């Protein structure tokens, strides 16, 4: 069991080493550690949680050529590792349901899915979350802030991915909503501190934006 996790770690690391959209190997490593911590406290199955955390971004449409081929890659990997069919299904169902997608993702069901989703969301909060947002916006060609763009409340997945936005807009369109969407008690506790970091950052950002003496 330990070996399958170790080999999967190396596989994912080799695939994501040059990723530049905020889904690099270190994101996966942090999410896997956070998921492990939450899983222990919530009594979730550690093997399923760690495997899903390690593989969770490979089928993301920002990382893979498309979701379908990304998912096939994960399926092939799980088969090659001789993971029991039932576990394969559990891991795949987590990977396909946890993404935010502008608030349009389907609700997650299993405890293990809730844990991995919380861990992924925590990495979008706090100082790391702030840094990832600016890296992502830069890679997408979005400005750090544009006061002429409206903040979108409801949006389709397509609008979320390709509409006009800015890094600061992303705080209002997603990041500040995450604390209220956490699934587990442990996840909520960890989100509180990171949420405060976002608010503090925005406060200082706007103070400096409106230069006043
Ligand atoms: P999703 O939840 O939609 O799958 P991800 O979590 O995969 O998005 O996004 C990766 C990182 O980039 C996260 O930290 C996320 O908050 C950030 N991000 C996603 N979309 C944007 C955007 N339009 N502008 C700035 N940052 C973004
Ligand atoms: Ni992720």
């Amino acid at each position: 069991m330990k070996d399958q996790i170790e080999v999967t770690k190396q596989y994912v690391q080799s695939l994501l080493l040059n990723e530049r959209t905020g889904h690099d190997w270190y994101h996966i490593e942090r999410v896997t550690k956070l998921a492990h911590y939450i899983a222990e406290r919530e009594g979730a199955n550690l093997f399923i949680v760690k495997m899903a955390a390690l593989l969770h971004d490979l089928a993301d449409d920002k990382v893979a050529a498309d979701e379908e081929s990304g998912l096939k890659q994960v399926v092939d990997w799980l088969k090659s590792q001789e993971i029991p069919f039932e576990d394969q299904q559990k891991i795949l169902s987590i990977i396909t349901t946890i993404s935010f997608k502008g608030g349009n993702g389907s609700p997650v069901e299993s405890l293990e899915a809730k844990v991995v989703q919380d861990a992924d969301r925590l990495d979008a909060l706090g100082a790391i979350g702030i840094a990832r947002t600016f890296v992502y916006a830069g890679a997408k060609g979005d400005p750090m802030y544009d006061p002429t763009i409206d903040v979108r409340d409801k949006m389709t997945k397509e609008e979320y991915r390709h509409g006009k936005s800015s890094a600061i807009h992303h705080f209002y369109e997603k990041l500040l909503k995450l604390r209220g969407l956490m699934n587990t008690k442990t996840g909520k506790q960890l989100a509180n501190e990171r949420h405060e970091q976002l608010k503090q950052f925005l406060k200082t950002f706007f103070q400096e934006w409106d230069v006043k003496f």
Side-chain angles (χ1 to χ4, degrees), residues 23 27-28 31 56-57 120 132:
H23 300 87
H27 162 65
I28 305 300
V31 171
H56 84 272
D57 268 338
D120 197 27
R132 289 179 74 214

Side-chain angles (χ1 to χ4, degrees), residues 65-83:
D66 57 83
E67 271 176 39
E68 204 179 315
S69 61
L71 208 55
K72 186 176 178 303
Q73 198 178 14
V74 177
V75 172
D76 291 346
W77 174 256
L78 292 173
K79 279 187 193 154
S80 76
Q81 294 308 299
E82 297 175 4
I83 311 280

